[in-house]
Amino acid sequence: MKTISIGTALTILASAAHGAECIDAKGAKAGFILERPGIRSEFRPAAAGMVSVANEYQSQSPQTQFLFGGLIEVFRDSETGQLAMIPFFDLRKLFPLKAGAKSETVFVRLAANKQPKGTETLEINVKGKETFSLGDCKYNVLAVRQTIKNEAGKTQDEFTALYAPDLQAVLAKRYDEGTSGESVVGYEVIKPLPN
């Protein structure tokens, strides 16, 4: 009888510990870790709507990013240099994101010892809502199509970010959407930051 009680207690503790790994909006305010093979990213809320992301790669030098709202990159720092994206628009007006929302933000990309090559445009199209799984955790995400065009209007980059507003984080990116080459690159594990 005692063995069953201890076994039951261990099962309950294991379930509680496993369930604690799913981070909610409140837990995200303390920061969290997202991982997939080859990358570990630590997310921490910062001032003025920014989210600081420290990326550790298996095959590259570490990188720090600052993302407005956890979605729009405005600064990046690594051993290869620094890069800043200066928008000519108040990014706060884009949030909170809603399905169907569309926007265009003109910005200039600045890097040390390089003159900017002109302005660029970030087009955002919030296509809808989806559910994304990280292990046993499920998150409501917005499918946010992001297109970056140069000053001449040529597309430089395009993908759909699966963005979790509760976490203020992009959990995955979908490339070549709607084609035979469609692929999804996403995190696979979420866990709290160690105390």
Side-chain angles (χ1 to χ4, degrees):
M1 188 79 164
K2 241 182 182 177
T3 306
I4 294 171
S5 297
I6 291 171
T8 303
L10 289 174
T11 302
I12 292 168
L13 287 173
S15 297
H18 185 69
E21 292 177 5
C22 293
I23 309 295
D24 60 12
K26 183 178 178 183
K29 292 178 181 174
F32 55 93
I33 296 168
L34 291 175
E35 293 178 329
R36 70 174 186 257
I39 183 172
R40 178 181 192 267
S41 301
E42 292 186 3
F43 288 71
R44 289 182 171 84
M50 296 291 176
V51 175
S52 169
V53 183
N55 297 307
E56 293 178 16
Y57 299 97
Q58 187 173 358
S59 58
Q60 300 173 30
S61 63
Q63 175 192 80
T64 301
Q65 296 175 288
F66 283 92
L67 308 172
F68 189 83
L71 178 67
I72 301 170
E73 184 178 47
V74 293
F75 183 77
R76 183 186 321 154
D77 181 34
S78 69
E79 288 179 5
T80 59
Q82 295 181 332
L83 184 66
M85 282 63 81
I86 310 298
F88 299 122
F89 176 78
D90 185 352
L91 295 177
R92 294 174 295 184
K93 292 181 179 178
L94 299 177
F95 294 85
L97 292 175
K98 292 186 168 96
K102 293 181 181 182
S103 67
E104 289 187 6
T105 302
V106 176
F107 68 96
V108 65
R109 191 180 302 259
L110 301 176
N113 303 316
K114 289 183 184 176
Q115 292 295 323
K117 295 180 180 177
T119 60
E120 297 176 59
T121 302
L122 169 64
E123 296 177 357
I124 289 180
N125 178 4
V126 184
K127 296 168 39 175
K129 298 177 182 181
E130 298 181 21
T131 301
F132 185 80
S133 296
L134 284 172
D136 292 335
C137 305
K138 291 194 183 304
Y139 291 96
N140 294 320
V141 297
L142 293 171
V144 183
R145 185 76 170 165
Q146 294 188 35
T147 305
I148 297 176
K149 295 183 177 179
N150 65 16
E151 200 164 41
K154 183 180 176 188
T155 298
Q156 304 291 97
D157 194 15
E158 190 169 40
F159 59 88
T160 297
L162 300 182
Y163 173 72
D166 285 351
L167 301 178
Q168 288 195 317
V170 173
L171 304 184
K173 291 181 180 179
R174 191 180 295 139
Y175 296 93
D176 299 319
E177 191 168 37
T179 71
S180 59
E182 181 174 316
S183 63
V184 177
V185 178
Y187 291 104
E188 298 174 5
V189 176
I190 186 168
K191 56 190 176 183
L193 286 169
N195 293 332

